[in-house]
Amino acid sequence: MARTDKQVNWRKGVRFAISACILVSAVGFLLITFSVSSGIIDLSKDPVTDAEQDASGVPNITSSERSSIDGYALEMRIFERVNELRKAHGRDPFVHSERVRLISRMHSADMAKRGFFDHTNPDGLSPPGRHEKYEGCENPNENIVEWESFTTNDTNKIAREVVSSWSNSTPHNSTQLSEYYHVSGVGVYVTEQKELYVTQNFCREHPNA
């Protein structure tokens, strides 16, 4: 069951997640608009997406407290499912970034360990701030989801449910199908209590370019 936190029900959680995503998307849109108008981003040029996979400086924390779930395999399967969805809609697949994946995983772990579900953590750090701290992307966007008490260890089934939940939400689906972003990474955290936190970050260019 998807939810926001331990005190609210699923229906309220979906509304909160959607409103949070709309807010992040709106802020991201304003940043993009400013960057384009000021010349920081030149949309007439193709974004740089091919770069060495260097994740130095980003903590490589565990992705799963449960030995029955391979967190890395789940991250990559969710990433692949999103790219399958993009292909079905005539979009180019996202280029994977290890740096973006680890930054995303850190946020998933932070939500799990500090008991919140939001794009901004209790310290006030939002996606742009997290990426700036770890030399990630400029003007990143983000989709998140929390899932409680999943009953399967099948990463294919879990990935399908996660991407389906985003697909059924207009703002989340618009982000994962965006043609503005070209690079992405998915980070998960699985608790011993079978709670799953997922973060996917989206970037226009590769952070290591």
Side-chain angles (χ1 to χ4, degrees):
M1 178 181 294
R3 63 174 186 167
T4 58
D5 57 33
K6 297 178 176 59
Q7 287 74 43
V8 299
N9 63 34
W10 184 81
R11 292 180 182 275
K12 290 181 180 178
V14 170
R15 286 198 296 270
F16 181 81
I18 290 174
S19 63
C21 184
I22 291 173
L23 177 60
V24 170
S25 297
V27 172
F29 176 77
L30 290 175
L31 288 172
I32 291 169
T33 301
F34 172 76
S35 298
V36 171
S37 63
S38 61
I40 297 175
I41 296 177
D42 185 358
L43 293 181
S44 66
K45 296 182 179 179
D46 291 333
V48 180
T49 59
D50 186 18
E52 181 181 354
Q53 293 291 354
D54 178 10
S56 59
V58 186
N60 188 357
I61 62 175
T62 184
S63 58
S64 178
E65 296 176 0
R66 297 185 64 83
S67 59
S68 58
I69 293 289
D70 185 334
Y72 175 75
L74 180 55
E75 289 172 339
M76 297 310 298
R77 189 65 193 111
I78 294 171
F79 179 83
E80 291 165 358
R81 288 286 300 182
V82 170
N83 271 346
E84 290 167 7
L85 182 69
R86 288 178 65 82
K87 182 179 179 180
H89 285 79
R91 307 289 198 272
D92 291 333
F94 285 126
V95 174
H96 182 259
S97 166
E98 281 291 299
R99 180 172 294 274
V100 175
R101 180 179 66 83
L102 292 182
I103 293 173
S104 299
R105 182 190 287 181
M106 289 180 64
H107 185 59
S108 293
D110 193 23
M111 289 191 290
K113 294 178 179 180
R114 291 205 277 178
F116 72 97
F117 180 71
D118 203 331
H119 296 282
T120 302
N121 70 19
D123 302 321
L125 206 61
S126 63
R130 289 194 294 274
H131 278 261
E132 182 179 2
K133 182 176 181 179
Y134 293 105
E135 298 182 350
C137 307
E138 293 186 6
N139 305 317
N141 210 330
E142 180 175 273
N143 277 350
I144 56 176
V145 72
E146 179 190 8
W147 211 260
E148 181 187 29
S149 299
F150 53 87
T151 58
T152 178
N153 294 330
D154 189 327
T155 56
N156 287 317
K157 291 181 179 179
I158 297 173
R160 183 169 61 247
E161 291 295 330
V162 168
V163 177
S164 177
S165 70
W166 285 333
S167 299
N168 291 328
S169 163
T170 299
H172 294 85
N173 194 47
S174 296
T175 301
Q176 67 184 1
L177 293 180
S178 172
E179 295 185 272
Y180 175 80
Y181 301 105
H182 298 271
V183 178
S184 185
V186 175
V188 311
Y189 193 83
V190 181
T191 73
E192 188 62 42
Q193 292 73 36
K194 291 187 177 182
E195 294 174 319
L196 170 66
Y197 292 80
V198 183
T199 302
Q200 181 165 19
N201 280 179
F202 308 89
C203 308
R204 180 164 175 80
E205 295 192 316
H206 201 290
N208 298 330

